[in-house]
Amino acid sequence: MIKLVKLVLLALILIGITKTESFAGYYTPGTGVHWNMDDLVTNSGGIVTFGGGFYTLNDTVKVRAGDTLFINTNITVKFALNKSLVSSGVLLINPSTGVLFTALDTANKWSGVRIDSSNATIIKKLTIEYGVALRISDCSPLVDSCIFRSMGFATSSFTNAAIVLARTGCTISNCRFLNNYRAAIQSGANVNAWAKIINNFFQGNDLLNLNVPQINLGPSGTDTLRILNNQILRASTNSGGIGFLPIGNVFAVISNNVIKNNRYGLTFSGGNNINVLVSYNQIDSNNTQNDPLLGGSGIAFSGGSATSQQNSRVTGNLIRWNLWGITIQNRSKPNIGNLTNADTSDNGKNVFFKNNNASTPFIDLYNNSVDTIYAQGNSWGSTNPDTIAARIFDIADNPALGPVIYNPVITNIQTISSGIPNVFILRQNYPNPFNPVTKIEFELPVDAKVTIKIFDLTGREVSSLLNESRAAGFYSVNFNASSLSSGVYFYRITAEGISQKFDVTKKMMVIK
């Protein structure tokens, strides 16, 4: 008999971010000033300087409560070793094109940015690199259209991520997390965070190849955490997609994400403290470590007890080409489709397709628990009852395990919204006409190399929005035309897929 070994998830450090810290540096006066970087140069006594085309923070700067630091121009700020920008006031970053925060010496990391008790903070179009982290605590700011890369310590026992959350309902949207040393976003195992993580792109994180997921979270408290419309793509061999290991309650909605080419897709460890809806995600090819005894589940559930079982619902997902489809450990007891109750949000609608490993080939659902698991209303890639039964590991394979109730099944995949488009589509931008931002949406039925470029009436290229490989799915890209004049422009998408090339151009209008 083959024994399924429990997926190991690196425990989250019990972290809290205190509200005070001591440093020599420079404090803004706390008198309600509204300053930019030039004002810091004037008033900081040499701690902030300008020269060589960039600003330098030679020591830590703290924006006190009541004060505002704003950056609305395209500048570069370099930080000395172990120095940081701390704000208990308001930090407003929103340039026309972009601001860069980087290290004075990229071999010597700076400490990062810390936002504490500042709900009015808005950070947009910031690229932040070669630092430790953006830390957000006790407030709910907006972080939008930013790039986080090469963040975190290369050699340290200190657990951190590109963004560290504590007691926050912040919104993190339209950002890119690339090649960071550990997780991209993290909260503490015992520290509430109910963030909204929406429409972001994750790839190449966990450069240290640790046993951590790219999104590594603890409890949400009484509020609901949302992870929506993100792409969570290949990281290091040992890195997973999304993981929860909370000490406290989790209320979460995880929907419409592409989670692909990680060590595993999602993992949830706990009992009735976990309340999650996992719906309409593409959970695809999470098999990079390729050891079924250590991972490779599309979704892994573990923990719980006879009196404490998860409130997890799994519906409408495409779960394909992982080592395992869904694995269930201990007494976690997720709901993968229950047609016997009045609730229609748990009616299955999942599509399982060719999840496979060498130890137990083609197992879409492994019930390694004593509980009865409901998995009704799903598609198993076959209409043959024997074939479907063979793809489920339960009491029929080991009398010590519980049964899986999988009938009735859906026999037509076409009746299920699997999250994968049928054809290439480029939609008309919206709004149109617009000033200055519009949204361009497209659909890919297969993995493809995608480019989106903007042209004026003469055919001159004025902007390049995208040039990278994307998995099959639905996508939305924002275009900011603030640097362009009023007039008619064209946007063109080219997608080079497996067996075809898609090339479409549409017209849009900027009115100022």
Side-chain angles (χ1 to χ4, degrees):
M1 183 185 71
I2 295 174
K3 181 179 179 181
L4 180 66
V5 177
K6 180 180 177 181
L7 176 76
V8 178
L9 173 69
L10 182 67
L12 293 160
I13 298 295
L14 302 182
I15 58 171
I17 299 180
T18 58
K19 294 187 177 182
T20 61
E21 84 175 341
S22 176
F23 53 83
Y26 175 73
Y27 292 76
T28 64
T31 57
V33 299
H34 193 80
W35 281 358
N36 61 17
M37 291 299 298
D38 291 329
D39 294 311
L40 287 180
V41 172
T42 300
N43 292 281
S44 66
I47 286 178
V48 181
T49 58
F50 181 81
F54 57 87
Y55 296 88
T56 300
L57 265 69
N58 301 292
D59 206 337
T60 294
V61 170
K62 181 168 184 179
V63 181
R64 280 182 163 145
D67 292 344
T68 298
L69 174 63
F70 71 93
I71 303 174
N72 57 9
T73 55
N74 305 320
I75 63 171
T76 295
V77 183
K78 297 187 178 184
F79 292 75
L81 173 65
N82 295 332
K83 306 309 178 185
S84 60
L85 175 63
V86 180
S87 178
S88 296
V90 176
L91 180 60
L92 299 177
I93 301 177
N94 190 13
S96 60
T97 302
V99 168
L100 174 64
F101 282 7
T102 189
L104 189 61
D105 176 0
T106 57
N108 293 295
K109 289 190 178 290
W110 57 291
S111 293
V113 177
R114 177 166 156 178
I115 309 300
D116 185 8
S117 304
S118 178
N119 287 319
T121 285
I122 296 174
I123 301 175
K124 302 186 74 171
K125 290 173 278 189
L126 170 66
T127 296
I128 182 169
E129 63 181 19
Y130 299 108
V132 176
L134 167 63
R135 302 172 185 272
I136 301 173
S137 63
D138 300 293
C139 58
S140 297
L142 170 65
V143 180
D144 181 77
S145 302
C146 296
I147 298 173
F148 297 82
R149 62 192 182 201
S150 301
M151 297 291 285
F153 282 118
T155 55
S156 173
S157 60
F158 177 64
T159 300
N160 58 72
I163 297 183
V164 178
L165 307 175
R167 301 174 297 277
T168 174
C170 66
T171 297
I172 303 169
S173 56
N174 304 304
C175 294
R176 298 170 66 81
F177 295 84
L178 306 171
N179 303 317
N180 296 290
Y181 284 95
R182 298 172 188 265
I185 300 175
Q186 174 182 301
S187 64
N190 63 341
V191 182
N192 293 337
W194 53 100
K196 300 174 183 65
I197 303 171
I198 302 172
N199 200 35
N200 302 288
F201 181 85
F202 302 80
Q203 189 171 50
N205 298 294
D206 188 23
L207 287 178
L208 296 183
N209 202 26
L210 302 172
N211 181 16
V212 295
Q214 297 196 65
I215 301 178
N216 195 15
L217 298 172
S220 68
T222 59
D223 217 321
T224 299
L225 184 147
R226 301 181 188 277
I227 304 175
L228 311 174
N229 303 314
N230 301 281
Q231 294 183 75
I232 306 168
L233 307 183
R234 187 182 184 107
S236 64
T237 301
N238 281 319
S239 183
I242 301 173
F244 284 85
L245 184 60
I247 300 175
N249 293 324
V250 170
F251 298 90
V253 175
I254 304 171
S255 294
N256 295 297
N257 303 283
V258 175
I259 307 170
K260 183 174 182 178
N261 292 131
N262 299 282
R263 174 187 165 194
Y264 54 85
L266 304 99
T267 182
F268 303 91
S269 181
N272 61 11
N273 61 316
I274 293 184
N275 307 270
V276 298
L277 171 64
V278 181
S279 63
Y280 299 98
N281 302 282
Q282 177 185 338
I283 305 169
D284 190 334
S285 306
N286 294 289
N287 54 19
T288 56
Q289 190 187 47
N290 201 33
D291 186 344
L293 298 182
L294 296 178
S297 300
I299 311 177
F301 297 95
S302 63
S305 66
T307 58
S308 177
Q309 296 172 327
Q310 292 185 23
N311 300 297
S312 301
R313 290 169 292 156
V314 180
T315 183
N317 302 281
L318 174 63
I319 305 172
R320 67 178 180 185
W321 301 333
N322 308 284
L323 295 184
W324 315 87
I326 295 177
T327 55
I328 301 167
Q329 301 277 349
N330 314 118
R331 306 300 300 274
S332 51
K333 200 176 181 181
N335 177 348
I336 305 169
N338 190 336
L339 303 182
T340 67
N341 58 28
D343 185 0
T344 59
S345 70
D346 64 352
N347 281 7
K349 302 181 182 178
N350 300 289
V351 176
F352 295 91
F353 185 72
K354 291 188 176 179
N355 299 285
N356 186 31
N357 69 78
S359 297
T360 51
F362 296 107
I363 295 298
D364 289 322
L365 175 57
Y366 198 124
N367 181 21
N368 197 34
S369 77
V370 299
D371 291 311
T372 298
I373 300 298
Y374 278 82
Q376 297 173 313
N378 298 300
S379 173
W380 306 88
S382 175
T383 59
N384 186 311
D386 293 333
T387 301
I388 296 172
R391 292 176 179 168
I392 298 171
F393 198 100
D394 66 351
I395 193 172
D397 305 278
N398 181 348
L401 302 179
V404 172
I405 309 300
Y406 60 88
N407 278 315
V409 302
I410 293 178
T411 57
N412 186 347
I413 297 174
Q414 294 178 351
T415 63
I416 301 175
S417 175
S418 64
I420 304 300
N422 294 321
V423 295
F424 286 108
I425 293 177
L426 175 64
R427 299 191 181 279
Q428 185 63 50
N429 65 298
Y430 179 84
N432 188 46
F434 65 98
N435 177 29
V437 177
T438 190
K439 180 178 293 186
I440 297 172
E441 296 180 335
F442 61 96
E443 302 177 8
L444 301 176
V446 296
D447 299 357
K449 174 68 178 300
V450 179
T451 61
I452 299 179
K453 295 183 178 181
I454 312 297
F455 301 89
D456 64 16
L457 280 172
T458 70
R460 179 176 62 94
E461 181 181 325
V462 296
S463 181
S464 178
L465 297 185
L466 195 65
N467 183 17
E468 62 189 29
S469 296
R470 289 287 177 98
F474 300 82
Y475 295 98
S476 176
V477 179
N478 289 330
F479 171 55
N480 190 320
S482 57
S483 63
L484 300 179
S485 304
S486 296
V488 174
Y489 295 86
F490 297 91
Y491 58 102
R492 176 184 179 186
I493 184 170
T494 301
E496 298 182 8
I498 296 173
S499 61
Q500 60 181 308
K501 183 175 180 179
F502 178 69
D503 193 334
V504 172
T505 300
K506 288 183 178 291
K507 182 169 64 175
M508 61 184 174
M509 181 175 290
V510 177
I511 297 180
K512 295 186 176 180

